[in-house]
């Protein structure tokens, strides 16, 4: 025991120094306005999230985490560095289990090019703080933890109060939620943030590939750029809303950025210290739920005995104390919600690729119809659609205002047309939600104009030198990705396809006079394929139409082919120079 305590004291001194150095480096290089005190603690004006941020709006529900800081030695020690227990532990702390490291790097690669600039070292830092890199890499060949990693139940006893949201599907607890897996997602967050990172068709919070990819998407939401110090801090705080948590993650991030190495799965060192290791709270390593101590209640020391009952005056024995009802917890605003109502949302229709002008609004009410403020409403996109809320997410949580109304973020229509739904529900309470029908229509244009003014002519049997180019607009703005149909029509009054005159060629070189599947580019421009002419001369019409009713007729002229020169008339007078009758007679020589 003495040796263990001595090792902990030595480690504490070392890790405090590491924290000071790491956080100082981050503040100096990344965070203007951030200060570091003599203990290495970081403070900044924007280092905390909104004061009304709720635990179930974070990835972990603000669950406990490991507070161990990085060691002082090099992040990538040589195999011979150090000796004995201290050297072995330093190497395992600096290393990352092979499968876990692979999952972090694949998550970074999957999000590369999104503008988020997610470093895999950030996932490694969070994974270290949340679960000690999946308990030192105790995962199977597919990346699933050998046994579940569960945080304590969030019952309000020293932790946040989050009642069950998944009927125990992820955490096995039907009363309260618990953080699950190597990245410690609470079930309500995993329900929308979960991803399939290993391609097995499942979203499993206990799988490091799934959890790492989900964590990456979670940190990259809201269009945050993690190369920017402000966005980096916001993203980390959204994972667990604690400045101490922020500082711990930043310390490991800086440490891993200096270099690390791969170690075999299952050989990583388990951290020692937990954020819930404080008076009045039983520390709990991930993977266990702290049992209630028999005979105790929150705030009451273990082993205490009841005080003797007071003696009534004038009697020799104890009197029966008056019965006092047990204190009841006052209902939260969420507890008072009886139902949700639509708060005047209009028709939800938008063209593909456009932002919906109308926003969904929902009102939380008591049974008597009274508005309920400060209630979290979760809006979930349901159905076969690629539409999202602003920021690219399919779920958004909004708190009701003083009038009980929560307005969802603006919807952004994807490219998939048709109907889908948005479901509004109360977070943490099972009451009837409100479904909203949403429709995405195909892209359209209300005007088509020709680009260029040169006349389009060619000779019969030839080809048009000038291509037909047009521009589509909608409401005066360029209409990109709009479908266009081009048809050589019989006349302005007869839209039937012409059977003679100009034509296009298909892939086999055959003549076609109607083209479908054409589409304008992002700027609303479209250049048609080359046009050819048969041997029919005259004036012809090319008609272009789009969804939305825009129509444009383009005139094409085919000139007759040149007339060949006639053959000479044999009956015409011969050339005098070749007429034998005009040649002088030849007199025979004497």
């Amino acid at each position: 025991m003495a040796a263990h305590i001595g090792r902990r004291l030595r480690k504490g001194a070392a890790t405090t120094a590491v924290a000071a150095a790491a956080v100082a480096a981050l503040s100096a290089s990344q965070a203007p306005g951030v200060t570091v005190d003599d203990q290495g603690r970081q403070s900044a004006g924007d280092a905390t999230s909104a004061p009304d941020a709720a635990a179930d709006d974070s990835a972990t529900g603000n669950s406990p985490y490991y507070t161990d800081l990085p060691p002082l030695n090099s992040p990538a020690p040589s195999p011979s560095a150090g000796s004995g227990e201290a050297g072995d532990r330093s190497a395992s702390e600096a290393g990352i289990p092979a499968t876990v490291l692979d999952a972090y790097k694949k998550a970074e690669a999957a999000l590369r090019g999104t503008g988020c600039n997610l470093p895999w070292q950030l996932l490694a830092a969070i994974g270290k703080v949340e679960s000690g890199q999946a308990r030192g890499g105790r995962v199977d060949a597919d990346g699933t933890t050998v046994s579940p990693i569960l945080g304590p139940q969030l019952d309000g006893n020293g932790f946040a109060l989050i009642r069950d949201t998944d009927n125990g599907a992820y955490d096995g607890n039907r009363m309260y939620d618990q953080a699950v897996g190597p990245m410690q997602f609470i079930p309500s967050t995993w329900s929308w943030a979960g991803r399939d990172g290993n391609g097995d068709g499942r979203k499993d919070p206990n799988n490091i590939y799934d959890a790492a990819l989900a964590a990456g998407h979670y940190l990259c939401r809201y269009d945050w750029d993690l190369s920017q110090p402000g966005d980096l801090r916001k993203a980390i705080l959204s994972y667990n809303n604690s400045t101490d948590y922020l500082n711990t993650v930043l310390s490991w991030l800086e440490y891993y950025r200096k270099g690390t190495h791969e170690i075999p799965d299952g050989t990583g060192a388990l951290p020692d210290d937990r954020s819930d290791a404080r008076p009045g709270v039983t520390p709990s390593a991930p993977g266990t739920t702290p049992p209630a101590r028999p005979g105790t209640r929150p705030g009451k020391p273990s082993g205490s005995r009841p005080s003797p009952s007071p003696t009534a005056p004038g009697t020799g024995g104890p009197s029966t104390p008056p019965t006092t009802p047990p204190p009841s917890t006052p209902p939260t605003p969420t507890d008072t919600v009886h139902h949700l109502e639509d708060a005047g949302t209009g028709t939800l229709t938008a063209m593909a690729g456009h932002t919906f002008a109308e926003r969904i609004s929902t009102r939380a009410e008591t049974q008597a119809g009274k508005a309920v403020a400060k209630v979290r409403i979760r809006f979930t996109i349901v159905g076969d659609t690629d539409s999202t809320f602003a920021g690219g997410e399919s779920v958004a949580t909004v708190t009701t205002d003083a009038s009980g109304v929560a307005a969802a973020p603006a919807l952004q229509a994807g490219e998939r047309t048709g109907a889908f739904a948005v479901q509004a529900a109360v977070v943490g309470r099972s009451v009837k939600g409100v479904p909203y029908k949403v429709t995405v229509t195909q892209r359209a244009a209300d005007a088509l104009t020709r680009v260029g003014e040169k006349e389009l002519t060619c000779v019969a049997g030839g080809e048009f030198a000038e291509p037909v180019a047009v521009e589509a607009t909608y409401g005066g703005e360029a209409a990109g990705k709009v479908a266009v149909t081009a048809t050589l029509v019989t006349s302005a009054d007869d839209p039937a396809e012409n059977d003679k005159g100009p034509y296009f060629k298909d892939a086999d070189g055959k003549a076609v006079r109607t083209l479908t599947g054409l589409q304008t580019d992002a700027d609303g421009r479209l250049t048609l394929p080359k046009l050819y002419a048969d041997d029919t001369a005259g004036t012809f019409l090319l008609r272009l139409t789009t969804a939305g009713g825009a129509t444009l007729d383009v005139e094409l002229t085919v000139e007759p082919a040149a007339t060949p020169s006639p053959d000479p008339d044999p009956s015409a007078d011969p050339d005098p120079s070749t007429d034998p009758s005009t040649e002088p007679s030849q007199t025979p020589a004497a």
Side-chain angles (χ1 to χ4, degrees), residues 191-192 378-383 389 394-396 420-425 436:
S191 66
W192 62 266
R378 178 168 291 130
F379 299 93
T380 305
I381 296 175
V382 181
F389 291 112
S394 60
V395 177
F420 63 95
V422 173
Q423 183 74 29
Y436 295 86

Side-chain angles (χ1 to χ4, degrees), residues 244-427:
D244 288 338
Y245 180 88
L246 169 70
N247 292 338
T248 306
V249 170
L250 288 176
S251 296
W252 281 104
L253 171 59
E254 181 68 10
Y255 181 74
Y256 286 136
R257 275 177 167 164
K258 291 178 180 177
T260 185
H261 60 279
E262 178 184 300
I263 60 175
D265 289 344
T267 64
L270 293 178
D272 293 320
D273 301 324
R274 296 281 295 169
S275 62
D276 53 344
R278 60 184 186 273
V281 180
T282 303
S284 58
T288 63
T289 300
R293 290 172 287 175
T296 65
R297 280 188 264 176
K300 187 173 183 180
S302 176
S304 62
R305 298 180 180 179
S307 302
S309 302
T311 302
T315 67
S319 64
T320 303
T323 302
T324 303
S328 59
T329 303
T332 65
T334 300
D335 294 331
T336 67
V337 177
H338 177 265
H339 60 273
L340 296 178
E341 293 283 349
D342 174 34
T345 305
T347 303
L348 295 165
T349 302
M351 191 186 305
H354 288 236
T355 300
F356 285 77
E358 187 74 16
R359 291 176 61 180
I360 296 172
S361 294
T362 302
R363 176 180 161 96
E365 297 182 353
T366 64
Q367 187 170 8
K370 184 179 179 181
V372 185
K374 298 183 179 179
V375 173
R376 289 179 299 283
I377 307 298
R378 178 168 291 130
F379 299 93
T380 305
I381 296 175
V382 181
D384 185 16
T385 182
D386 56 351
S387 297
T388 64
F389 291 112
E393 295 294 343
S394 60
V395 177
T397 302
V398 182
T399 302
T400 57
D401 59 18
S403 61
V405 174
L411 276 167
Q412 178 69 37
E415 295 301 326
R416 196 170 301 164
T417 60
F420 63 95
V422 173
Q423 183 74 29
V426 179
V427 176

Side-chain angles (χ1 to χ4, degrees), residues 130-131 134 145 148-151 178-185 205-207 211 286:
E130 292 295 346
S131 67
T145 56
I149 301 177
L150 297 174
Q178 295 174 244
V180 182
M183 302 303 278
Q184 290 288 278
F185 279 96
N206 297 296
N207 183 278

